[in-house]
Amino acid sequence: MTLTQLRILLAVARTGNMTRAAEEMATTQSAVSHALRALENEFGVALLVRGNHGVTLTETGRAVRRRAALILTQVEALEQEVAAAREQERGSLRVGVIPSANVRLLPPILRRFGDAHPRVRLTVLEGSDDEVLEWLETGAADIATVSAGGTGAAGFPLPAGAVARPLAADRMLAVLPSGHELGVRHSVPVADLARHPFIMSTGGCEPLITALARAAGASLTCHYRVRDTNSILAMVAEGLGVSIVPELSLPAHRAGVHAIPLDPAAERTVLLVLPADPLPAAAAFAELAVTLTVATR
């Protein structure tokens, strides 16, 4: 058993696809397949179920993945601590990011961290709240961003021992086609949005949007359910409906779309989550991220 085999197993488990795992590991699909076969032969048990549409872990495979993640995290921590003691900082840092935080919030932080820690290899993994938390729990990510309601408390269980730190407040905005009848207002109640075809975001904001509608006593007529914010905005611009999205997810230029605050105002909080025993690079990233976001508030 080698560390490379364990890294390949984690990559395949996260992507569910040997080709994507090979690309991530900068190797070939045949090398990935060979490494996993060798690992299964050594253990004498199947770790993967191979199908036409990808691969999934067996029950034993999931147990091995959990242990492999712990081993690799400890190895990475050891390498980073030794490198720091020799004043030769090095290593890697995998950041799990929700899409809305990856539009405007994270890029400046990533750039500043890269400038300050040029020998640390950064990898950004984009996914939903549930996905990035799973990556954090399984060791596929070393630090993660997630969203929470206006109280700043996560509405979902964090991995055991994980610590969440508020990173940014994010207003929820109504997005309307340019020239829409509601666009002349300074703000709009959710109940008024509910009178129009609604495009629901499934990228992580659905629980918050549903809660806002429930609080307003409104029932949203969801004509479309879309994950990607850019797709939502394109559909809104075409007059297919209205939606609610986080302000941080909006690009600087959005032709054909008008965004206005909700009435009453609503916001969510973007949290930065560290595991119980973070890598030195993850702790440094968290300190820099919080410092930068506090400075810009």
Side-chain angles (χ1 to χ4, degrees), residues 7-32:
R7 291 188 177 100
I8 287 174
L9 178 66
L10 261 62
V12 170
R14 187 180 64 79
T15 62
N17 184 284
M18 289 196 184
T19 300
R20 288 200 295 271
E23 292 172 352
E24 184 177 292
M25 297 293 295
T27 186
T28 64
Q29 182 176 339
S30 62
V32 166

Side-chain angles (χ1 to χ4, degrees), residues 44-268:
V45 65
L47 302 176
L48 301 169
V49 177
R50 297 160 174 83
N52 294 331
H53 302 290
V55 294
T56 58
L57 293 176
T58 63
E59 183 176 353
T60 302
R62 289 192 292 272
V64 172
R65 179 191 64 179
R66 286 192 294 271
R67 294 294 182 184
L70 293 173
I71 292 169
L72 292 173
T73 298
Q74 291 302 313
V75 169
E76 178 66 29
L78 175 63
E79 291 175 347
Q80 290 189 12
E81 288 171 358
V82 170
R86 298 172 58 190
E87 298 183 350
Q88 295 178 344
E89 183 185 47
R90 57 180 292 275
S92 63
L93 181 67
R94 297 159 299 176
V95 186
V97 181
I98 53 176
S100 54
N102 208 22
V103 176
R104 290 157 52 188
L105 181 62
L106 261 293
I109 297 172
L110 294 168
R111 180 182 59 79
R112 289 286 295 274
F113 183 85
D115 291 343
H117 306 270
R119 294 176 62 85
V120 176
R121 184 175 68 257
L122 273 172
T123 302
V124 176
L125 310 172
E126 189 175 278
S128 66
D129 291 293
D130 290 339
E131 288 171 332
V132 298
L133 283 176
E134 181 184 359
W135 297 338
L136 192 69
E137 187 170 21
T138 61
D142 304 309
I143 190 170
T145 63
V146 297
S147 62
T151 62
F156 33 76
L158 297 176
V163 176
R165 303 177 65 175
L167 195 59
D170 193 8
R171 289 192 304 170
M172 301 298 292
L173 302 180
V175 288
L176 316 164
S178 295
H180 193 277
E181 61 184 76
L182 297 176
V184 297
R185 305 182 184 181
H186 295 294
S187 60
V188 59
V190 174
D192 287 355
L193 293 175
R195 299 189 182 101
H196 300 269
F198 196 84
I199 304 170
M200 176 61 76
S201 168
T202 61
C205 292
E206 184 171 2
L208 178 54
I209 295 172
T210 301
L212 292 173
R214 187 183 305 116
S219 178
L220 299 172
T221 305
C222 298
H223 284 214
Y224 306 95
R225 299 175 61 81
V226 182
R227 178 176 177 134
D228 181 68
T229 300
N230 286 328
S231 298
I232 292 174
L233 297 179
M235 295 171 74
V236 170
E238 289 295 329
L240 296 175
V242 301
S243 191
I244 297 173
V245 300
E247 186 172 19
L248 285 174
S249 70
L250 291 174
H253 304 288
R254 44 185 187 273
V257 174
H258 182 57
I260 57 175
L262 297 175
D263 181 18
E267 68 176 27
R268 65 172 190 167

